[in-house]
Amino acid sequence: MSVAGYVERNRLGIGGAVATVLLALVLAVAFDLPVESIVTVGFVERSLQAATPIALAAIGGLYAEKSGVFNIGLEGFMILGAANAAAFVWLIGGESPTQGDLWLAIVAAVLVSLVYTLLFAVLLVRYRADQIVAGLAVWFIGLGFGPFSAVLIWGNRNSPGLVSVNDLTVPVLADVPVLGPILFDTSPLVLATAVVAVAAWVFLYRTRYGYWIQAAGENPEALDTAGVNVRRVRYASVLFSGAMAGLAGAVLFAHAGSFTGTGDTMVNGRGWIGIVAYLFGNYNPVGAAAAALLFGGLDMLQIQFQTAGIELPNRLVNLFPYVAVVIVLTVWGSTRMPSAVGESYETEE
Amino acid sequence: MLEASALQRLGIAMASTALALAIGLVVVAAAGYDPVTFLADVFEGAFGDENSIGRTLKFTTMFVLVGVAVAVAFRAGVFNIGVQGQFIVGGFATVVAILWLAPLLPAGTVGGLALLVLGTLAGVVAGGLYAAIPGALKAYGDANEIITTIMLNFIAVGVVGYLVEGPLRGEGNRAPNTARIPEYVSLPSVVFDSPDFSLVGLAVALVVVGVVSVVMIRTRVGYDMVTSGHQEAAATFSGVDAGRTVVTTMAFSGMVAGVAGAVFAIMIQGYYSDPGGVATYGFDAIAVSLLAANNPLGVVPAALLFGGLDSAGTHIGINSDVPPQLIDGIVGLVVLFVAAPELFRMAARRTGLGGERR
């Protein structure tokens, strides 16, 4: 496609992007914002950490949707993933768990997520459950059973401080200015997520199975005719999405070091933001990760505002990601969904 | 889901609830508690004595209102997951309006009545406007209303939470609450002598059910809403403005959520506190509405069921070691099973029970 054609079709989106950048500039000048003390190396580092769970959930969710199943339960699977990771850390390591215990707990939480997701996938694919309603149900189940298990284990909806993941420091490279601390002295989970994003892109767009996933969402009849089991492809994609959301929850826990089950739990809408991240990234895993970084950055602005001495109530700064999601959805919302999303597929038997 | 007959719907709703409760009992047993004692606690907490019944009816009142709010939207094919946010904004507007207007009106019964009406109106308007936002974003920006309404829930909690913490905190309050609304602005207690339940509130909820049913079935606006939900193309062809219908539907749904907020603020709380810690009626409402097949009249028995469950949850929270969050999980399971009617149809066919219904 030509550049002119692209501009023509995305006029609103591009206009919105330009307007956003201009507005940010105007605000920065008008309020004399100390930009350099807001955008610091530490800020980038924190943003990457905040973006990691969102990106993982988003990549999983986009696989499911590409295959024709809208997994709207990401938020719920994240809550259960975080709660289970915390529970396993406690089970394995007790009061003072080690890094090894933490990694084991992450793996265990992902495995348990796979079991939950299998049940969910059976309801969706085999019993043709309403995808929206069942996904919402997963959210409610997470909101109920996540804190429930915390109360069972710790007698409180929040866990005590358990363990958070240590930074991975690469000698020599970590001393490189700017890039060093961002890339070579950070949470290994951030690096792993970057690898996952690229791998997910390659798999989806460069392998045969990736094409099957896309076909299952766009034209299941054709895939069926070609002799591929559509249901099986969808099962695999939904399982992957649930495992990724569980991992996202476990990662959220690993960065925080404890489980919070009060209010909307520590996941606090990140699963929903993940859905918007992949819509914004136009179903491209790398694009979804980039969008997650945007939301992660907005999430971390609060700390920057405080250190820069900008007087804005915390509670309101915390709302930036949610407001951004609404704006993003409105201006860039009309991305093209795979055409068979939401429809269950029946082979002619 | 909508193609099922009424009888089949009822069967599915009951089977979903029974299955969810059964799983809840298994969880209770697995966590090391006695499921029989738990079940006894559930019944005692829901209907055990006058106290329990009053509490059950209090929750029922709330669930009827928020359930109808959800049902209005779902019936018209719009997913309003934002009833919680509209409920918060509506209730907060009610309290603020009453606090602002109270000095201008005479104290006493007449003034109290006027404040009740004006406060509720403020709640209705605020709830309706807050719901119209995602409606307009969907109609004119193609923004998925499921996600925008959920985001607006978070925003409502944050903004109202900020306001009650700071600018609108009642004078001399240590807790982040607004000032209390005047004593004389309250619903009279009839039969039940409870500080946070009045049969008048329940009556208001039932009147709302009646009004909404009439609007949905007997008026042009209601007809347009429902047809747009089922047959968008046909509705557009017959001259219904699809965009405007979405906004109207959302606003109507939000107005009912606003009534719920007003009843909550006046009957239960008497002031407004940080909504981060307030009951999530707006979420359970989705389960209520789905169980009622999104039928405004069906919401009443479904609300009674959930009212009983929540009341049992309160009782369990006080009198037993089982964490009451279990009830929320069970509600989620009910929704999950309601989403998959095929599960029960297949089970019915296998066992030969009611298989001929299809």
Side-chain angles (χ1 to χ4, degrees), chain B residues 132-147:
Chain B
I133 301 171
L137 295 182
K138 178 185 171 68
Y140 306 110
D142 208 11
N144 182 326
E145 82 277 19
I146 299 173
I147 296 169

Side-chain angles (χ1 to χ4, degrees), chain A residues 195-277:
Chain A
V195 173
V196 167
V198 174
W201 182 86
V202 171
F203 187 81
L204 190 60
Y205 290 107
R206 291 288 180 270
T207 68
R208 201 162 57 130
Y209 204 86
Y211 287 126
W212 287 356
I213 292 175
Q214 297 187 51
E218 291 292 352
N219 195 343
E221 293 81 12
L223 190 64
D224 194 18
T225 315
V228 177
N229 188 330
V230 175
R231 276 188 175 184
R232 202 172 290 168
V233 173
R234 287 189 172 173
Y235 270 122
S237 307
V238 176
L239 277 176
F240 176 68
S241 73
M244 289 297 273
L247 176 64
V251 165
L252 191 63
F253 162 75
H255 281 159
S258 61
F259 174 77
T260 312
T262 45
D264 294 303
T265 76
M266 68 193 300
V267 178
N268 214 356
R270 286 181 177 81
W272 300 106
I273 294 178
I275 293 176
V276 178

Side-chain angles (χ1 to χ4, degrees), chain B:
Chain B
M1 221 189 301
L2 288 158
E3 66 244 37
S5 69
L7 194 63
Q8 209 177 28
R9 272 301 329 175
L10 190 66
I12 288 167
M14 277 162 48
S16 301
T17 314
L19 190 53
L21 271 175
I23 293 181
L25 287 180
V26 171
V27 171
V28 165
Y33 301 103
D34 178 11
V36 177
T37 318
F38 175 78
L39 205 58
D41 277 343
V42 167
F43 279 104
E44 199 186 311
F47 310 107
D49 52 18
E50 203 204 7
N51 235 335
S52 304
I53 295 173
R55 193 173 55 213
T56 296
L57 290 179
K58 173 182 83 176
F59 289 128
T60 303
T61 304
M62 295 314 303
F63 285 133
V64 167
L65 287 168
V66 287
V68 169
V70 172
V72 164
F74 278 23
R75 188 120 265 241
V78 183
F79 283 97
N80 182 7
I81 316 297
V83 165
Q84 179 71 11
Q86 294 138 23
F87 161 79
I88 289 170
V89 171
F92 181 67
T94 302
V95 169
V96 171
I98 291 177
L99 289 175
W100 281 352
L101 293 172
L104 308 175
L105 291 167
T109 321
V110 179
L113 204 60
L115 285 172
L116 278 180
V117 173
L118 291 172
T120 307
L121 275 179
V124 169
V125 171
L129 287 178
Y130 202 61
I133 301 171
L137 295 182
K138 178 185 171 68
Y140 306 110
D142 208 11
N144 182 326
E145 82 277 19
I146 299 173
I147 296 169
T148 50
T149 50
I150 289 170
M151 293 299 121
L152 287 167
N153 287 339
F154 286 110
I155 294 171
V157 171
V159 172
V160 172
Y162 159 72
L163 290 173
V164 298
E165 246 169 41
L168 289 171
R169 186 193 291 219
E171 236 169 280
N173 264 357
R174 297 191 122 212
N177 296 332
T178 64
R180 203 161 248 293
I181 58 175
E183 273 302 307
Y184 57 88
V185 189
S186 65
L187 301 178
S189 53
V190 185
V191 185
F192 292 94
D193 187 25
S194 155
D196 56 3
F197 173 66
S198 159
L199 273 180
V200 179
L202 183 58
V204 168
L206 295 177
V207 168
V208 169
V209 169
V211 171
V212 169
S213 300
V214 169
V215 170
M216 295 297 276
I217 299 166
R218 299 253 174 253
T219 67
R220 173 81 214 221
V221 186
Y223 180 78
D224 285 353
M225 281 196 236
V226 178
T227 24
S228 311
H230 289 300
Q231 283 292 337
E232 203 194 323
T236 314
F237 189 69
S238 60
V240 177
D241 181 336
R244 205 168 52 205
T245 309
V246 167
V247 181
T248 319
T249 304
M250 281 299 282
F252 188 40
S253 167
M255 285 160 72
V256 179
V259 180
V263 170
F264 174 75
I266 294 168
M267 184 176 86
I268 299 181
Q269 265 203 318
Y271 55 89
Y272 221 79
S273 61
D274 188 336
V278 160
T280 51
Y281 294 113
F283 294 144
D284 295 345
I286 295 164
V288 171
S289 176
L290 288 170
L291 212 54
N294 304 326
N295 179 330
L297 291 175
V299 160
V300 178
L304 189 61
L305 172 73
F306 280 84
L309 273 180
D310 250 32
S311 177
T314 311
H315 179 79
I316 289 163
I318 301 166
N319 299 308
S320 138
D321 293 335
V322 181
Q325 286 79 17
L326 178 70
I327 299 289
D328 298 335
I330 292 178
V331 169
L333 286 171
V334 173
V335 179
L336 186 67
F337 295 135
V338 170
E342 202 53 33
L343 187 70
F344 300 108
R345 287 204 193 111
M346 232 172 256
R349 249 174 277 143
R350 289 268 160 80
T351 54
L353 276 171
E356 72 284 349
R357 257 191 233 148
R358 235 178 109 91

Side-chain angles (χ1 to χ4, degrees), chain A residues 26 33 48 87 128 171 183-184 192 220 223 225 231 271 273 288-289 308 321 331 335:
Chain A
V26 169
L33 290 183
L48 279 166
R128 302 194 310 242
L183 292 179
F184 302 110
L223 190 64
T225 315
R231 276 188 175 184
I273 294 178
V331 181
T335 40

